[in-house]
Amino acid sequence: MGPPSPSEEEEESLEPTRDGPAACTFEQILDAIGHFGAYQKRVYLALCSLTVPSAWYTLSQVFLCALPDYHCKVQADEISLFPGITNMSEERLWNITVPQDSSRLGKYSWSECHQYDIAQVNLSFSPEEWADPASNNYSLVPCQSWYYDKSVYFSTVATEWDLVCERKWMRQLDTAFFMAGCLVGSSPLGWLSDRFGRRKVILLGSLLLSLLTLGTALSPGFEFFIATRFLVGLLSLGIFNVTYTLGMEFVGPTQKRVPGVLLTLSFILGHVLLTGLAYWVKGWRMIQLTIALVSMASVLCCCILPESARWLILQGRAAEATAIVRKAARVNRAALPAAITLIGSPSHKHPGSEEQKRTALDLLRKPNLRRNTVVLCINWFSICCAYYGLLLNTQNLAGNLYINFLLMGLCEVPAQVGLALLLDRIKRKSLLLASQLLGGGACLAAACFAWHEMGWPTVGSCLAGQFLISSSFTCILLYTVEILPTAVRSTGVGLCNTFGRLGCIACPWVIFMADAWKPAPFVLFGTMATGASLLVLRLPETLGRKLPETLEDGEKL
């Protein structure tokens, strides 16, 4: 059921009075021109074109740092062959110089990290030993060079800079530094958008993101690559949040769910398109170059974006806001009075009031608010860690990486659509508890299947887990907004987002544990999700209740 229509007094306020133009709020303007008309759809089309590259920035590390099959490589010119032996095949050379063992993927092949001591091979070679070199007691030494299978990836960050064996852990730095950038940059960009406007931050930030991605594609070394990825993370999440805010500020109260659904679906579209991009462009530098060029094109398309009329009103720039409103009315085929004066809503009349000066510490002063805040932060950490962890762990699954990654994105579509249909019918607590508890169970099931090396059942369990954890992600965002009072809502959501980013920073190191024991990531994701879901029982129900305004309202919820 939508909000009530404007009262007769509100409708009359859109008409000029004897004393001058009609004074009206932006909410009243939206009631007159439409809550989600053609103009708002045009704005959202531009915003969604920016969200697609946002998915590429966030998820591309699945392919950038992918590690194909590899093993030690010894070149023919590194050893002195026994007299009379010429034209030795590469495979025969490896049989002599590299021992065989079980690889990280369970295949029996040449060793990934050790080779025979070349000096000993040179000294002891004889024709009789060619057939069975392993019978010799050659000592093993670390590899100096590697052979990489190029059937799946032409080149990756891992293959270009040999991030294998003792350096394998460095592959996780891409995700860790990117997410650390997201953690650091989100709040400052929000402040900049409040200070200088949504449009400027979105356009300039998106252009800078494109240039940084171009710099990533041209990285001369791994350290430079990591630095640019940190800077990309610094901007990407903050710009996404400002994009979401700008969209919300153009939508009426009857369509408040539209921004989240549209931007989430465009993010999923970016996920799907990234699969095709990585499949056809198998080199990591070309992937980054393509992302940079497409991002620049999307910035040009978004030059049509208007500034937020709400923000302009709050800044006292009513004339600019009026021009935007009149253009929206023309596009939506709605009529407005010839003379209007836009004013702020009553909630913005006293920016210096006590409620406007609240900080994150106020969330911890009262027992119920403190409990709710702690439970929300734990759930944000768990959900973000599991959500991104399942996506980034795709490479460790059986089957084709591209198909698995594509399915991980497609399974989120029914999750988001189904959740949109259920949000007004099922209690928030029940939805979050069920989706996260079942998602944790799916991860634990994947751990059992991975332990018994059952390929496709493991993939199926991961898809089920992604479906459910994705639902939890959307639900926790809405639940957080409804639990925290208006006085500290932005601060509280920022705090929860901080814990979510910490979960994202932790997830690559959880995935790294799969090198020691394959089921380990699934066990940790499942345990965290299950434990966090049980804490949801301590949260209040918010369905059908008014949003809390003051700290006292939040304490009584």
Side-chain angles (χ1 to χ4, degrees), residues 491-504:
T491 303
V493 171
L495 178 65
C496 291
N497 261 295
T498 298
F499 276 84
R501 293 309 116 188
L502 291 174
C504 294

Side-chain angles (χ1 to χ4, degrees), residues 83 203 219 346 362 375:
L203 294 181
S219 296
D362 291 295
V375 171

Side-chain angles (χ1 to χ4, degrees), residues 233-247:
L234 194 75
L235 292 172
S236 61
L237 179 63
I239 290 175
F240 179 85
N241 290 340
V242 177
T243 299
Y244 183 88
T245 300
L246 177 60

